[in-house]
Amino acid sequence: MIKVKKIAGVFLTAMLSMTLLAGCGNKEVTLENDGDKPVVTVGDESATYWEANFQTRILQMQYESMYGSDIWEQEVQSGKNFEQSIKDLILEGLKSNQAALNHVKDYNITLTDDEKQEIEEQVDSFMENLSDEFEELTKPDKEKVENYLMESKTIQKLSEAVAEEAKLEVSDADARQMKANYVMISVDEDASNAELTKAKQKATKLYNSAKKTKSLASSAKSLDLEVKEATYGNNNEQIPSEIVEASMALKKGEITKPIKTDYGYYVIQCMKYLDKDATQSAKESMLQTKQQTYFTETCEKWLEDSDVKVDDTLWDSIELAGHSTLPTTESTTSSDEATSEATTSSEATTTTSETTTAAEGTTEKPAK
């Protein structure tokens, strides 16, 4: 079972001339004949079949580069595979982007000559590094790719203007990052009560020693235990909440009692109550997330007030399973470069579309 984790996402790049069978009936859909037809229309703005296919194939290339071409038919939830889940999210992104484009004039958004020049250079690099397989699927057209990326950049600038208007902030307290030393006494998921008791006793012994020496590091060394460092704050969702709650309340030099988690027992010492550099970085990241969330919510409101139309025949004709973008061995390098260019060449925010990250049941240990 694939675990799907939502994330805010970015789409981009190219295609023209590929034959696909529509999801119903016998009608044949091609980019040559149908590329300029609208797939999604919101108010006065439309995303064409070319653009929808373009976005979808770029994201397909990124996922297949990471997980292989057989990912699409794997089950995400009952009755739904990964291809269907990804396409649902892309479709929502297409709708949101068109809703956003209806409001560009309201904020007087335009691109500078430097921004246009930068996009032109990015497109040149992208076009030079396409794999044969991706090119065969998309037949990319330089002018269309360029126009699409300019539209994406426009949406990004709109998101910044909308967020700036809202005057969003993140407090120093919310962004605070601490630096800590910690020792983990690990246990397996299926550990017996005896093993859990032994781990707790070891953690308690370490804690009692550290209270006397006032140094977790020196006490751990005397007990032949490994000490690690970590910098984190309340915003770090990868660290178990029980660790964050206990350690963020520490003053410099203070040590927690053994903290039980799914991974084992932790003993933590606060080495720096406030790491200024890490806090500033976290503050910027948190503010960006807050701004993106606000823009997403704004686009959702715009969508609610708009007339939305979707051409299901065109949209359903874009299939991922059985139409791999993966290159042959000889063209792997150029494909990787093209994927990188595609990812970085557009700085657009994808409004309410939430891309997904597939991971096969891996769990990261906290506070590494």
Side-chain angles (χ1 to χ4, degrees):
M1 175 75 73
I2 296 175
K3 293 182 178 180
V4 177
K5 189 186 295 180
K6 289 185 176 181
I7 70 171
V10 173
F11 300 120
L12 357 112
T13 15
M15 38 225 73
L16 194 62
S17 190
M18 172 186 118
T19 300
L20 297 167
L21 295 179
C24 58
N26 295 319
K27 179 185 175 183
E28 186 178 57
V29 177
T30 69
L31 286 168
E32 290 175 327
N33 296 331
D34 304 300
D36 292 332
K37 292 181 180 178
V39 172
V40 177
T41 301
V42 179
D44 297 329
E45 297 291 336
S46 296
T48 66
Y49 179 63
W50 184 90
E51 292 169 330
N53 191 37
F54 177 65
Q55 289 188 5
T56 304
R57 297 298 173 187
I58 285 296
L59 194 61
Q60 178 185 3
M61 180 169 63
Q62 293 171 3
Y63 273 104
E64 289 184 344
S65 295
M66 292 186 289
Y67 304 110
S69 59
D70 60 348
I71 186 176
W72 306 112
E73 296 181 5
Q74 295 184 41
E75 185 181 12
V76 174
Q77 59 190 48
S78 180
K80 201 170 193 178
N81 61 27
F82 197 65
E83 175 176 345
Q84 293 167 328
S85 296
I86 289 295
K87 284 198 64 182
D88 286 348
L89 294 171
I90 294 173
L91 182 58
E92 290 308 306
L94 288 167
K95 293 176 183 177
S96 297
N97 285 344
Q98 304 320 301
L101 290 170
N102 278 285
H103 293 269
V104 168
K105 291 182 179 179
D106 297 342
Y107 290 84
N108 298 315
I109 304 299
T110 58
L111 299 187
T112 65
D113 291 339
D114 287 344
E115 288 169 337
K116 292 177 182 178
Q117 179 62 35
E118 183 180 3
I119 289 173
E120 289 176 6
E121 293 171 359
Q122 290 168 344
V123 172
D124 287 338
S125 180
F126 171 79
M127 298 290 286
E128 290 174 1
N129 290 300
L130 293 179
S131 70
D132 293 340
E133 289 75 9
F134 185 81
E135 208 163 357
E136 179 64 25
L137 281 171
T138 64
K139 299 291 190 295
D141 177 276
K142 181 178 177 180
E143 183 178 356
K144 285 188 176 182
V145 174
E146 200 169 275
N147 289 338
Y148 178 76
L149 292 183
M150 288 185 180
E151 186 175 273
S152 297
K153 181 65 175 178
T154 298
I155 294 174
Q156 182 208 346
K157 293 186 71 171
L158 174 64
S159 73
E160 293 169 355
V162 169
E164 184 177 347
E165 184 180 61
K167 301 186 184 304
L168 303 173
E169 296 180 349
V170 174
S171 70
D172 292 338
D174 288 341
R176 180 174 72 87
Q177 304 290 296
M178 68 173 287
K179 180 172 286 187
N181 283 347
Y182 72 95
V183 175
M184 180 181 73
I185 313 298
S186 62
V187 294
D188 295 332
E189 285 186 28
D190 56 353
S192 65
N193 288 334
E195 289 171 325
L196 289 172
T197 298
K198 185 177 180 180
K200 183 177 181 180
Q201 290 173 343
K202 187 181 290 188
T204 301
K205 183 177 181 179
L206 170 63
Y207 167 70
N208 289 332
S209 172
K211 278 188 66 178
K212 294 177 181 179
T213 64
K214 300 190 182 304
S215 171
L216 182 64
S218 62
S219 291
K221 184 177 180 180
S222 67
L223 295 172
D224 198 25
L225 295 171
E226 182 182 8
V227 178
K228 294 183 179 180
E229 295 181 350
T231 301
Y232 56 91
N234 288 316
N235 66 312
N236 194 321
E237 297 178 357
Q238 292 182 327
I239 300 178
S241 59
E242 54 265 42
I243 288 179
V244 173
E245 183 178 351
S247 58
M248 289 296 289
L250 298 175
K251 296 178 181 178
K252 184 177 180 180
E254 290 183 338
I255 303 169
T256 65
K257 293 181 179 180
I259 304 168
K260 186 179 183 302
T261 73
D262 292 339
Y263 309 102
Y265 285 89
Y266 283 78
V267 180
I268 303 169
Q269 182 173 28
C270 176
M271 305 306 294
K272 186 181 290 188
Y273 179 80
L274 172 66
D275 186 308
K276 292 183 179 180
D277 290 341
T279 296
Q280 181 59 33
S281 178
K283 191 172 184 177
E284 292 170 1
S285 178
M286 291 169 70
L287 179 58
Q288 184 179 44
T289 298
K290 196 171 185 178
Q291 291 171 337
Q292 289 174 344
T293 300
Y294 181 80
F295 184 55
T296 294
E297 293 170 347
T298 300
C299 287
E300 288 173 351
K301 293 177 182 177
W302 287 340
L303 267 176
E304 290 174 1
D305 298 331
S306 302
D307 181 28
V308 181
K309 298 177 182 177
V310 177
D311 188 321
D312 292 325
T313 298
L314 292 176
W315 178 242
D316 291 344
S317 73
I318 302 175
E319 299 176 346
L320 307 183
H323 301 277
S324 177
T325 62
L326 286 181
T328 60
T329 304
E330 291 77 11
S331 58
T332 298
T333 301
S334 62
S335 176
D336 289 345
E337 291 172 351
T339 302
S340 177
E341 283 295 333
T343 303
T344 58
S345 59
S346 170
E347 299 172 350
T349 303
T350 312
T351 61
T352 58
S353 134
E354 295 169 300
T355 49
T356 51
T357 300
E360 293 291 348
T362 56
T363 306
E364 292 186 6
K365 293 230 168 115
K368 283 189 177 178

